[in-house]
Amino acid sequence: MTVHATIEAVWRIESARVIAGLARMVHDVGLAEELAQDALVAALEQWPRDGVPDNPGAWLMLTAKHHAIDQLRRKARYQEKLAEVGRSQQQREEPEEPDPPIEDDLLRLLFTACHPVLPTEGRLALTLRLLGGLTTEEIARAFLVPEPTVGQRIFRAKRTLTDRKIRVELPPEEELPQRLASVLEVIYLIFNEGYSATGGEDWMRPSLCQEAMRLGRILAGLMPGESEVHGLVALMEIQASRTAARTGPSGEPILLLDQDRSRWDWLLVRRGLAALDRAQSLGTLGPYGLQAAIAACHARARTAQDTDWSRMAALYVLLGHLSPSPIVELNRAVAVGMAGEPAKALEIVDGLAGERALKGYPQLPAVRGDLLEKLGRRGEARAEFERAAALTRNAGERTLFEARAAAL
């Protein structure tokens, strides 16, 4: 591996920790990222000449801290800011006070990047940039948006945090449920965009799934007593276990019931089920835990015919009480139809026709088409699949719906 490749790998691993530690010092996410980038530039200049240090992460952190001190010295309020970064940096001979655990810094940074004052797209981009170590170009490519758009989202997010004087700190206990929900939402949105891409040629973008699962596992390690954190990890790992079986040789989508389950990643399945057990052991399941329990119904069935659709439908009822949503009702209709009651399921779907949240949602006519086919109403079913194909922005999904229509 070349020195530059080593630097790139080290940066991807260590950048979040470096930025998190700096953010605690300077109380500004944007400034912390700039200082970390300065340390990266220094590494690119020095490591090819002097060699890679024994502890590259510590080298980056120390270099970035030195840059922070130099910058603070140039500011008018030098004495006030210097006290925040520690007087031990002034007098090296004095014993240093230990820094807080790096895990605390990472948790602060994650909660700050996912702060609810930021719009959703800002939280997504900032989290992937600061916690994932992704470049603006990589984020833009993953979400199929222009690079300048992502750059502006990140810039506005950092400026909002500065203008609103949002400190890089953990939320007070009374705000924790709401703030944790914001963090979990961001991680799952990243995963979902990877698992079922909303646009483009590819049905999946596995790199986003991997990044979301990595963030979820970090959060589970930082907050081991939170049931919903483990529930989200379980949900993502069980769903991601199907990745290899979800597309055919030409990249065409393969629906869940048609997948070769021997191609599922059974290590991920076991990990997901273990995370679900941890979530259940910590108390009543929340929305992510219930979705993981639904996913587990598929994971525990060695064949599609073995799926416990009645249990799945009952779990959707619980999820609907806890987190009401027309999409939850649509998924419940699928389970009811698969449990042998397509007419009842069609009633549920038809009751969702006026939902604004489902306007333009291709899965609504697709589910309706599937139920109509089960009821023998083939002409109506074909029209619904054609409508679904016209609505979707994903090429692979469009091909799938068109094939269903053609078969009818």
Side-chain angles (χ1 to χ4, degrees):
M1 182 182 288
T2 66
V3 174
H4 279 82
T6 300
I7 293 172
E8 183 179 343
V10 169
W11 177 253
R12 184 60 61 91
I13 295 168
E14 299 290 346
S15 61
R17 295 179 176 86
V18 174
I19 295 170
L22 292 167
R24 170 175 47 80
M25 293 169 56
V26 300
H27 302 297
D28 186 307
V29 167
L31 178 57
E33 189 189 11
E34 289 176 16
L35 293 167
Q37 291 284 348
D38 288 343
L40 175 62
V41 171
L44 289 168
E45 292 173 350
Q46 296 179 35
W47 292 7
R49 181 188 68 229
D50 303 334
V52 178
D54 293 335
N55 190 335
W59 189 98
L60 287 171
M61 179 64 83
L62 186 60
T63 302
K65 283 184 176 180
H66 289 165
H67 282 292
I69 294 161
D70 290 342
Q71 187 162 126
L72 290 171
R73 280 177 176 151
R74 290 193 295 268
K75 292 190 176 181
R77 293 184 297 157
Y78 162 68
Q79 292 296 335
E80 175 187 344
K81 289 292 183 181
L82 189 62
E84 294 181 12
V85 300
R87 299 189 182 280
S88 60
Q89 298 291 341
Q90 276 185 297
Q91 300 175 345
R92 299 297 175 85
E93 68 276 5
E94 292 182 10
E96 294 188 0
E97 293 184 11
D99 284 337
I102 192 64
E103 290 80 5
D104 293 349
D105 288 338
L106 280 172
L107 198 55
R108 290 187 188 95
L109 184 62
L110 184 56
F111 271 94
T112 303
C114 298
H115 200 287
V117 300
L118 302 176
T120 300
E121 63 270 16
R123 283 183 278 154
L124 287 169
L126 193 61
T127 300
L128 287 171
R129 177 66 171 267
L130 299 182
L131 278 299
L134 273 65
T135 65
T136 304
E137 180 187 2
E138 288 171 326
I139 299 169
R141 191 165 60 244
F143 284 94
L144 300 181
V145 295
E147 188 175 341
T149 301
V150 172
Q152 281 297 312
R153 289 175 182 175
I154 294 170
F155 173 78
R156 286 195 293 266
K158 291 190 288 190
R159 186 176 64 186
T160 298
L161 293 174
T162 300
D163 292 347
R164 298 287 291 271
K165 295 181 170 57
I166 303 299
R167 293 179 65 85
V168 183
E169 60 186 10
L170 292 177
E173 189 172 349
E174 64 272 14
E175 293 181 17
L176 186 61
Q178 177 198 5
R179 295 286 301 279
L180 179 58
S182 178
V183 172
L184 296 176
E185 178 192 24
V186 167
I187 294 174
Y188 194 45
L189 282 171
I190 294 170
F191 179 86
N192 265 341
E193 184 58 31
Y195 190 72
S196 297
T198 54
E201 296 296 319
D202 298 323
W203 199 26
M204 294 182 293
R205 300 188 192 114
S207 61
L208 281 178
C209 293
Q210 292 295 333
E211 190 56 43
M213 287 192 292
R214 189 181 74 86
L215 291 172
R217 290 164 188 154
I218 289 173
L219 187 59
L222 299 175
M223 305 184 75
E226 292 290 338
S227 173
E228 272 291 78
V229 175
H230 296 291
L232 176 58
V233 171
L235 174 59
M236 293 190 296
E237 293 192 329
I238 292 172
Q239 287 184 319
S241 70
R242 309 170 195 149
T243 298
R246 294 186 74 224
T247 54
S250 303
E252 69 276 13
I254 299 177
L255 294 176
L256 177 60
L257 298 184
D258 299 324
Q259 289 170 16
D260 177 359
R261 300 189 177 207
S262 68
R263 298 188 65 207
W264 287 4
D265 186 333
W266 289 98
L267 175 59
L268 270 183
V269 170
R270 288 193 293 273
R271 289 175 59 161
L273 294 177
L276 178 58
D277 287 343
R278 283 193 292 275
Q280 290 173 319
S281 72
L282 291 168
T284 305
L285 292 178
Y288 292 109
L290 283 173
Q291 289 177 78
I294 291 166
C297 291
H298 292 297
R300 292 188 171 110
R302 286 291 173 163
T303 67
Q305 293 72 27
D306 295 335
T307 307
D308 190 344
W309 292 104
S310 297
R311 171 176 168 77
M312 201 178 299
L315 288 169
Y316 273 120
V317 171
L318 292 176
L319 182 60
H321 284 307
L322 198 59
S323 185
S325 157
I327 291 179
V328 170
E329 278 298 282
L330 184 62
N331 288 330
R332 181 171 76 89
V334 172
V336 170
M338 293 301 298
E341 299 183 88
K344 179 180 177 182
L346 186 60
E347 289 179 13
I348 298 171
V349 172
D350 288 344
L352 299 171
E355 289 286 349
R356 292 179 58 122
L358 296 181
K359 184 179 180 181
Y361 186 56
Q363 302 305 326
L364 179 61
V367 170
R368 193 169 190 275
D370 189 70
L371 294 171
L372 288 167
E373 184 182 3
K374 283 182 170 66
L375 292 168
R377 295 159 62 178
R378 295 170 60 85
E380 294 173 82
R382 184 179 65 250
E384 292 295 331
F385 282 121
E386 289 171 348
R387 189 157 73 92
L391 287 173
T392 185
R393 293 188 294 123
N394 183 274
E397 195 170 59
R398 185 179 305 112
T399 300
L400 175 68
F401 293 149
E402 288 172 346
R404 293 290 302 273
L408 292 165

